Amino acid sequence: NSKLSSIGYYDPNRHTISINTKSAVRFKSQELFNILSHELTHAIDPKYHPTMPDAWFDKGIARGQFDSTKAIYEKTPTEFDAFGGGMANTIRQQYNTLSPQQKPQFIADIENWLKGSGQVPFSVSHNNQNIWAIEAWKTKPTLWKKFQQRMYQLVQELKNQ
């Protein structure tokens, strides 16, 4: 069962979130925050309905969709929203811990990264799935553009704080 191998799982039938504490991830507060943010996004997502998870996961496993090299899982609408929302929350949380002197550089680093230069300037935990998601979205121009738009909107919000 794929739910047992995942780090976090939202069960829409029970309205619960489960965290696999036996996974290889050593939970730091940032990682736990990211996982919970991801699963809470599923909990409020109208596209994520009660019959979807089991059938969808079973089909996905049969097709090899959870192999990160195939980058199919990360491109689904529900996962795009969950990974993107989790990353936005991570960025917001990191920004709010910075000193006033550090904030402009953090914003500049994000803007430069979105334009194609530099490394990912924010913490990307969640067992490297955020990196896989970003790389998957870059292979689909519509998703990458949508992600960039979300990030630019977030940057504007942070600048206006």
Side-chain angles (χ1 to χ4, degrees), residues 135-148:
E135 293 305 315
W137 302 336
K138 285 181 177 179
T139 67
K140 189 170 181 182
T142 54
L143 284 181
W144 180 241
K145 184 175 181 177
K146 188 175 179 179
F147 177 70
Q148 285 176 305

Side-chain angles (χ1 to χ4, degrees), residues 104-122:
Q105 186 60 53
F106 185 72
I107 293 292
D109 290 346
I110 292 172
E111 290 173 326
N112 289 333
W113 170 70
L114 288 170
K115 293 174 187 168
S117 63
Q119 298 288 332
V120 177
F122 52 90

Side-chain angles (χ1 to χ4, degrees), residues 78-105:
T78 56
E79 293 305 324
F80 177 80
D81 289 343
F83 279 112
M87 282 184 246
N89 288 332
T90 296
I91 292 168
R92 192 175 284 112
Q93 183 184 40
Q94 283 183 262
Y95 180 82
N96 289 331
T97 65
L98 297 174
S99 71
Q101 296 79 17
Q102 295 171 311
K103 289 180 178 184
Q105 186 60 53

